[in-house]
Amino acid sequence: MELQQPAATNKEKRHFDLDKVAPYIAVAPFYILFLIFGLFPVVFSAYLAVSKWDGLGQIQYLGMDNFSRLITDMDFWLSLKNTLIIWAIGTIPMLFMALVLAFCLNLKFIKHKEFLKSVLFLPNITSVVAISILFGLIFSNFNGLANGLLGVFGLKPIKWLTEPGWVRVVIASVNIWQYTGYNMIIYLTGIIRIPGDLYEAARMDGASNPQIFWNVTIPQLKPIILFTVMMSTIGGLQIFSEAQVLVPTGATPQGGAMTIVYYLYQTAFTQHQFGYGSAIAWGLVVVIMFFSLLNWFITTKRVKGA
Amino acid sequence: MKLTKIIGLASMAAVSALAIAGCGNKSSDGGKVSLSINYYNGAISKQAIKNTKAKFPKYKLTFKQVPANEDYDTKLKASLSSTSAPDIAAINSNIVDYLPYKEKFVNLADYGTDKVADQYVAWKWDSTFATKDYQIAMPIDIGPTAFMYNVANFKKAGLPTDPDEVSAGIKSLDGYMSYAKQLKEKANKPMWLGAVALLQEMEQKMTKDMYSANGKKLTLGDGQLKDAWDFTVKGLKAGYMFGVKANSSDNVNAQQKGMYSGMIQASWGIADLKENGTKNNSWLIARAPGEPANSGGSYLAVIKTTKHAKQAAEVVKYLTNKKNQEANYKELALFPSVKALYNDDFKNVTDPLFGDEKYNKYFIESANELEYTKADPRSTAVRQIFENQMQLVQDSNKNPDKAWKEAVAKAEAIQ
């Protein structure tokens, strides 16, 4: 008996089929990293969301307490409001600008297209922290460039980073600056794929460039526009670094600079309430799912309507 | 930063702590005792490290310097929950967060630290004890505070500029406020950087904690926090604030140009003034008004998972001794917690930034007069709530009474 056991495993080993195993080995680096840094934190944060933990002591099970606290937590809702406002004033003008830029770049008389594309895309690959520091200097309350310009026109300086209304604009502007080029590239790809005869026909009928833009480019780009809106919504709801670097201290939900992820970061990593922080994260998951479903609903309806 | 990254931070920290600790934790290296020491930037001087390596040639000491930011605590906490951590780690002034978890640290009192206890300032020494005879760390430096003032503004307002005269003039908080009034009226200059900065100054002066001794009741220092709040609101409403945050580029500008006039700072604030590019003799130092206060200061602890508790305790005792604290002061301007270093040489220290002023005496007075207040780990969060509300009173013109009430309600909700 004892002798037969290893013999059996040896026999099994002989049947080791490299062709079947190789693909798994090939995807293993991704999956191992995904399991450690992707799946595990997600599962662990779900566990923490129903617990109380300061990062050091015992994890105490709380049940749904964190979630009932979340629903009545005004700070959470105000942070959500800030996030949505920042998203709205950032995303809408950004996508429009990206679309106009993409359209212009595709016009025949524009030269050095590759150079312009690279330059416009550059902000996207720049560190968001560096960009935010730069914007912090531009919008500094006292000696900033923005207030300097206002002064040239005889206008009163604005407290960009401390007024609840303006700080949202500044945070949104970082986002605009960073993502316009990215969305432009996506639109440009879409525009190139629009059949040339549509433009030709429009030009034959005497349409001007703005008319072509509104009546040919935009309708043809609808699926791509919806894609960018959806991606920008998901990204916009997770806005964090911009707010954190521009307002590193004293950010409050009422003060305008506190976004949901910033609130979650502060709760978990500054106040060490990892349980409630995780509950906020799951609250955000619900919000993102809601908006994704909304987007999906609008998209399918449009497709059906078309 | 993406959400997934945030969620991943904790686990990444855990993994990296494991990886880091794994290297240093090997029990022996050819018979040599191997110890790893993790500290953040500016906690230990290069000279002190050199001294320590020379003192313990038989040990393999691995010093690892990591950035001094919020992540330090996250990583340290993660490593404490793992089975392998550095043998020795620096702890910042938030040592109260760690006192409830004394079992994660080696009790240094078991290694004869009582013999050196009287060398250190008592309040700092006491802050290292979780219970009466369980000491989780040894003190490195402290951050006693003094008042730094802008000479040109004081002169313009007709206020005295001699440090001793200023010290006498602002001895009481009423005197402090009257200086602010005169600055506003005669020189049209604000006294303070901002409402939160002033509230923080006042909070540091509190002699009672935010919670009752048994931790059951939110006491807010039995009225002391309210006094600090009211003092700040009074200064704010009278227009004595410049209205800027600390740690901002605006503050750098403001210090250079004297856009505000005074601040209570720890000794390490001198380095900030220098870094911010203020001109020599533009700011001077006086005794801070009211109660003495402390801001900052590090510790060294031996983590329980070490295999060489005795040797690690020896190293910690050596690294925090007089010789190395002196080296830390010379290299990093870390104010020593060893009393014997407050000698004549130390009292006579000058810095071109303050001309020939012998300013250390003001810090020493503060260090000697301080008394230990045991803080509840939740107190930091409570302070933060009130500071955030004060920020709104300043920036959004929020009604101070409403802000106070909201802050109290939020503080009561902390579990």
Side-chain angles (χ1 to χ4, degrees):
Chain A
M1 287 285 274
E2 276 174 355
L3 281 170
Q4 270 173 355
Q5 204 69 25
T9 38
N10 268 345
K11 206 178 171 187
E12 268 175 31
K13 270 191 180 168
R14 245 176 263 134
H15 283 279
F16 178 86
D17 187 346
L18 191 69
D19 284 350
K20 275 186 184 161
V21 175
Y24 292 99
I25 295 172
V27 295
F30 166 77
Y31 265 96
I32 290 166
L33 288 175
F34 168 75
L35 288 175
I36 297 172
F37 297 113
L39 191 65
F40 169 71
V42 172
V43 173
F44 191 55
S45 84
Y47 169 54
L48 283 183
V50 292
S51 318
K52 183 185 171 186
W53 190 41
D54 65 353
L56 249 185
Q58 291 292 317
I59 302 178
Q60 285 171 278
Y61 179 73
L62 281 185
M64 295 316 268
D65 285 11
N66 281 333
F67 289 100
S68 49
R69 179 178 160 195
L70 188 68
I71 287 165
T72 53
D73 184 359
M74 277 314 289
D75 283 352
F76 173 73
W77 296 109
L78 280 171
S79 307
L80 179 61
K81 182 185 148 195
N82 289 335
T83 311
L84 291 177
I85 292 174
I86 292 167
W87 169 78
I89 53 181
T91 307
I92 296 163
M94 170 186 71
L95 291 183
F96 184 71
M97 261 164 57
L99 197 52
V100 172
L101 279 172
F103 180 77
C104 293
L105 265 183
N106 198 41
L107 292 175
K108 284 219 170 77
F109 63 86
I110 302 276
K111 281 175 187 152
H112 310 296
K113 279 183 187 161
E114 293 309 313
F115 173 74
L116 285 171
K117 268 191 246 174
S118 317
V119 167
L120 287 165
F121 189 72
L122 210 55
N124 194 252
I125 52 163
T126 311
S127 147
V128 61
V129 173
I131 296 171
S132 302
I133 290 172
L134 187 69
F135 272 68
L137 291 171
I138 292 173
F139 290 102
S140 142
N141 282 358
F142 291 91
N143 287 12
L145 183 67
N147 276 341
L149 277 175
L150 287 179
V152 170
F153 295 108
L155 296 167
K156 270 191 178 171
I158 291 171
K159 292 196 169 176
W160 296 102
L161 294 175
T162 45
E163 295 263 350
W166 287 114
V167 73
R168 296 186 190 121
V169 173
V170 176
I171 294 169
S173 67
V174 178
N175 224 26
I176 293 177
W177 196 71
Q178 202 182 8
Y179 282 98
T180 304
Y182 168 79
N183 286 299
M184 180 204 72
I185 296 286
I186 294 179
Y187 287 145
L188 198 59
T189 331
I191 287 173
I192 290 165
R193 290 177 64 179
I194 297 174
D197 28 334
L198 286 178
Y199 287 109
E200 254 170 57
R203 285 217 171 78
M204 297 263 258
D205 291 341
S208 64
N209 274 335
Q211 277 173 325
I212 292 174
F213 176 72
W214 287 107
N215 298 316
V216 178
T217 313
I218 289 195
Q220 288 293 317
L221 275 181
K222 223 170 240 172
I224 291 171
I225 292 172
L226 283 165
F227 167 77
T228 54
V229 169
M230 207 183 283
M231 294 317 283
S232 307
T233 310
I234 295 171
L237 286 170
Q238 296 181 33
I239 195 159
F240 166 71
S241 305
E242 296 85 343
Q244 207 255 347
V245 176
L246 284 168
V247 190
T249 56
T252 51
Q254 282 168 299
M258 186 70 83
T259 64
I260 304 182
V261 179
Y262 195 176
Y263 184 48
L264 134 68
Y265 170 81
Q266 213 174 47
T267 308
F269 294 98
T270 312
Q271 298 173 5
H272 300 290
Q273 300 180 44
F274 289 98
Y276 189 53
S278 300
I280 297 171
W282 283 96
L284 179 58
V285 169
V286 172
V287 172
I288 291 178
M289 271 170 69
F290 170 77
F291 280 98
S292 300
L293 284 173
L294 193 73
N295 271 329
W296 174 76
F297 179 71
I298 294 169
T299 327
T300 43
K301 211 179 147 195
R302 292 234 172 195
V303 170
K304 272 181 198 162
Chain B
M1 205 187 282
K2 289 274 162 63
L3 177 65
T4 41
K5 273 195 195 166
I6 299 260
I7 298 173
L9 254 178
S11 46
M12 275 175 68
V15 171
S16 54
L18 275 167
I20 291 160
C23 315
N25 225 20
K26 283 162 207 151
S27 57
S28 60
D29 175 29
K32 242 185 175 187
V33 171
S34 182
L35 294 168
S36 58
I37 300 122
N38 281 17
Y39 67 103
Y40 45 86
N41 293 351
I44 307 174
S45 63
K46 289 194 182 88
Q47 184 59 44
I49 291 172
K50 218 171 137 191
N51 293 345
T52 312
K53 283 185 173 163
K55 168 83 181 175
F56 301 103
K58 284 184 183 162
Y59 303 165
K60 185 174 178 287
L61 300 173
T62 316
F63 284 85
K64 186 173 171 63
Q65 181 173 297
V66 292
N69 55 25
E70 283 172 344
D71 287 350
Y72 182 83
D73 270 278
T74 307
K75 285 174 187 157
L76 179 59
K77 284 189 174 183
S79 73
L80 289 178
S81 302
S82 73
T83 48
S84 60
D87 300 280
I88 296 167
I91 293 181
N92 212 330
S93 49
N94 60 339
I95 191 167
V96 286
D97 292 347
Y98 296 95
L99 293 179
Y101 302 107
K102 62 175 198 291
E103 69 281 357
K104 306 265 187 198
F105 300 93
V106 167
N107 181 5
L108 296 173
D110 293 344
Y111 298 95
T113 52
D114 55 325
K115 284 181 203 115
V116 292
D118 57 350
Q119 294 178 13
Y120 295 81
V121 284
W123 56 271
K124 179 80 174 181
W125 184 259
D126 291 345
S127 69
T128 61
F129 284 83
T131 52
K132 201 172 151 277
D133 42 30
Y134 203 110
Q135 188 185 22
I136 69 161
M138 290 278 284
I140 307 178
D141 63 312
I142 54 176
T145 56
F147 179 66
M148 299 181 186
Y149 59 98
N150 184 280
V151 181
N153 290 359
F154 271 47
K155 201 177 266 172
K156 202 176 166 197
L159 289 166
T161 54
D162 173 69
D164 282 329
E165 278 180 61
V166 172
S167 305
I170 58 167
K171 196 162 191 234
S172 69
L173 289 180
D174 288 340
Y176 197 30
M177 189 64 89
S178 73
Y179 265 49
K181 188 166 183 259
Q182 195 166 331
L183 275 157
K184 165 91 177 165
E185 284 169 0
K186 299 251 174 80
N188 197 25
K189 288 276 184 184
M191 172 72 136
W192 293 293
L193 175 69
V196 174
L198 180 60
L199 180 63
Q200 284 170 338
E201 285 183 6
M202 293 298 129
E203 283 169 342
Q204 281 164 7
K205 295 181 180 302
M206 287 172 63
T207 54
K208 288 180 179 169
D209 188 40
M210 300 290 180
Y211 288 88
S212 59
N214 60 11
K216 282 188 181 148
K217 198 169 164 273
L218 181 75
T219 57
L220 302 179
D222 294 326
Q224 289 186 348
L225 183 65
K226 183 68 172 137
D227 291 344
W229 176 275
D230 289 342
F231 186 84
T232 309
V233 170
K234 193 178 163 193
L236 177 65
K237 293 293 162 196
Y240 305 154
M241 302 292 166
F242 183 52
V244 152
K245 285 174 189 164
N247 297 329
S248 67
S249 60
D250 284 338
N251 186 20
V252 175
N253 254 319
Q255 284 187 0
Q256 280 179 10
K257 293 177 186 154
M259 289 162 149
Y260 65 103
S261 319
M263 55 187 173
I264 298 177
Q265 288 278 312
S267 43
W268 43 262
I270 296 171
D272 287 351
L273 267 180
K274 256 184 220 169
E275 229 169 72
N276 291 349
T278 53
K279 286 199 192 83
N280 288 355
N281 286 312
S282 62
W283 291 74
L284 287 177
I285 298 178
R287 177 79 210 261
E291 296 289 334
N294 180 71
S295 167
S298 317
Y299 303 84
L300 271 182
V302 179
I303 314 292
K304 194 72 174 211
T305 47
T306 181
K307 289 190 177 106
H308 310 285
K310 186 171 167 278
Q311 290 86 343
E314 267 177 62
V315 170
V316 164
K317 270 159 69 181
Y318 182 76
L319 260 173
T320 52
N321 73 6
K322 188 180 156 191
K323 183 181 177 185
N324 289 312
Q325 289 207 7
E326 192 170 18
N328 289 344
Y329 179 74
K330 284 193 175 136
E331 198 175 308
L332 301 166
L334 296 179
F335 203 91
S337 57
V338 170
K339 284 182 287 185
L341 285 171
Y342 309 154
N343 52 23
D344 287 343
D345 281 352
F346 189 67
K347 282 177 189 155
N348 290 329
V349 161
T350 56
D351 189 308
L353 192 62
F354 309 110
D356 53 4
E357 188 191 358
K358 291 164 185 169
Y359 51 83
N360 263 348
K361 66 173 175 182
Y362 301 113
F363 293 113
I364 295 170
E365 280 171 24
S366 191
N368 283 335
E369 285 171 27
L370 264 160
E371 274 172 41
Y372 177 52
T373 321
K374 186 159 188 176
D376 190 285
R378 294 166 291 177
S379 295
T380 323
V382 172
R383 279 217 291 269
Q384 186 68 53
I385 288 170
F386 284 88
E387 287 160 15
N388 283 346
Q389 288 299 319
M390 186 55 84
Q391 189 81 53
L392 290 168
V393 173
Q394 178 184 277
D395 294 337
S396 313
N397 227 354
K398 191 171 178 175
N399 178 302
D401 296 328
K402 191 171 171 253
W404 171 265
K405 277 187 197 129
E406 277 186 37
V408 172
K410 277 186 185 171
E412 275 167 350
I414 294 181
Q415 289 156 337

